[in-house]
Amino acid sequence: MDRPISERLAARRVSVDYGDRPVLAGLDVAFEAGTITTIVGPNGCGKSTLLRALGRLLAPRSGTVVLDGHDIARMRARDLARRIGILPQGPVTPAGLTVADLVGRGRYPHQSWLRQWSADDEAVVRAVLDLTGMAEFADRPIDELSGGQRQRAWISLTLAQETGVLLLDEPTTYLDLSHAVEVLDLVDRLNVDLGRTVVMVLHDLNLAIRYSDRLVVLSDGAVVASGRPEQVITAELLRSVFRLAAQVVDDPVAPGLPLVVPHGRRRAAARSSKVSVT
């Protein structure tokens, strides 16, 4: 597969409501081409809402989402699907659908009534399955796969679209740590080897730090911090945004990056008691 052209994505003064409840209010944020940016923040702060707005799954009440200088609201759906691939949280697969069938659906934006399924489409699907390590499961029904394999199958679908931008909403949901790292290693390869611009939502702060070039921190529908992980993650930010008492130490595996070590009331109190006794 050819290396795609990197693209830049931005939300400009974007406001999104759910019914009468405002979720994002005049939000401004830009995502740099060729990087992995992770959106983090406490539950209910608007992370998934922002990602869905960036992929035009939600229409903003006001403001614009811009891709390469163009308002995505004015783009044809097929054209947008050729440029942005989105993996929603907890996608549901029709029963009995195989991995190859699922990934093949990613070729839809490149087809028309004049251009149906072709050898080129078949080649792209094979290349994607090889890239994600899913070739051996091509004929396996999705519902027979493990959680990590399912996530890789869905990421394969977004890759088959051959877009320069990938939006991933909680790609490690319901995965144990081993499979979460496996999926994020794949995301990292897509960025480094294929030049994909990746915007994702993660709950695990330490994984977000380890796998991101930049972090965007949301709180109550607004951006409260953005930048490189070592610039953004501080004990003060964790306390004010996440209501988390924690130490921020140097990551022994990735020197220069921060590692969040939560205090935890019970263990911290027990340790403090032992120290005071001695």
Side-chain angles (χ1 to χ4, degrees):
M1 297 172 64
D2 294 334
R3 182 184 177 92
I5 298 173
S6 295
E7 297 167 310
R8 183 180 177 84
L9 187 64
R12 296 178 180 166
R13 305 295 299 168
V14 165
S15 297
V16 178
D17 300 339
Y18 281 139
D20 296 330
R21 181 172 67 89
V23 180
L24 304 178
L27 184 143
D28 280 297
V29 63
F31 301 95
E32 188 176 347
T35 63
I36 297 177
T37 303
T38 301
I39 304 167
V40 298
N43 290 340
C45 70
K47 300 184 297 294
S48 293
T49 299
L50 173 57
L51 202 76
R52 289 169 64 82
L54 293 172
R56 209 172 75 177
L57 298 182
L58 283 176
R61 170 172 51 81
S62 61
T64 57
V65 174
V66 177
L67 175 66
D68 291 339
H70 301 285
D71 183 351
I72 67 170
R74 299 177 180 273
M75 297 175 66
R76 295 191 308 166
R78 191 181 297 270
D79 291 338
L80 184 62
R82 289 173 180 164
R83 302 175 72 179
I84 295 180
I86 183 165
L87 174 63
Q89 188 175 356
V92 178
T93 310
L97 195 70
T98 67
V99 170
D101 290 338
L102 176 69
V103 177
R105 294 187 176 195
R107 300 303 299 160
Y108 168 76
H110 301 276
Q111 297 171 351
S112 67
W113 67 276
L114 287 176
R115 183 195 178 282
Q116 300 298 314
W117 186 265
S118 68
D120 288 341
D121 296 318
E122 192 70 36
V124 169
V125 169
R126 285 199 305 270
V128 164
L129 291 175
D130 285 338
L131 177 67
T132 58
M134 292 298 291
E136 64 180 294
F137 303 104
D139 298 322
R140 186 84 61 84
I142 298 291
D143 50 17
E144 293 182 7
L145 302 179
S146 69
Q149 291 164 348
R150 289 188 191 190
Q151 288 296 74
R152 281 191 285 147
W154 278 99
I155 291 173
S156 300
L157 165 63
T158 64
L159 286 178
Q161 290 179 233
E162 293 191 296
T163 65
V165 175
L166 297 176
L167 307 179
L168 309 176
D169 193 358
E170 288 290 352
T172 60
T173 297
Y174 306 126
L175 300 185
D176 59 34
L177 185 57
S178 174
H179 287 104
V181 169
E182 174 186 306
V183 167
L184 292 175
D185 279 342
L186 171 59
V187 172
D188 192 56
R189 284 170 49 212
L190 299 178
N191 170 253
V192 173
D193 297 342
L194 298 181
R196 261 51 170 190
T197 298
V198 179
V199 181
M200 61 182 174
V201 170
L202 289 178
H203 274 295
D204 190 305
L205 284 175
N206 284 324
L207 288 179
I209 292 167
R210 182 75 64 82
Y211 284 92
S212 306
D213 299 300
R214 297 180 64 82
L215 298 178
V216 171
V217 184
L218 292 191
S219 181
D220 295 326
V223 176
V224 295
S226 66
R228 297 194 305 272
E230 62 271 25
Q231 296 173 320
V232 169
I233 298 299
T234 65
E236 181 180 354
L237 178 131
L238 296 172
R239 185 168 51 252
S240 62
V241 174
F242 294 91
R243 305 294 187 266
L244 176 67
Q247 281 185 275
V248 178
V249 300
D250 193 47
D251 189 330
V253 176
L257 287 179
L259 180 71
V260 176
V261 183
H263 288 175
R265 291 195 178 105
R266 178 175 176 271
R267 293 295 182 183
R271 185 169 182 80
S272 174
S273 174
K274 291 177 182 178
V275 169
S276 63
V277 169
T278 57

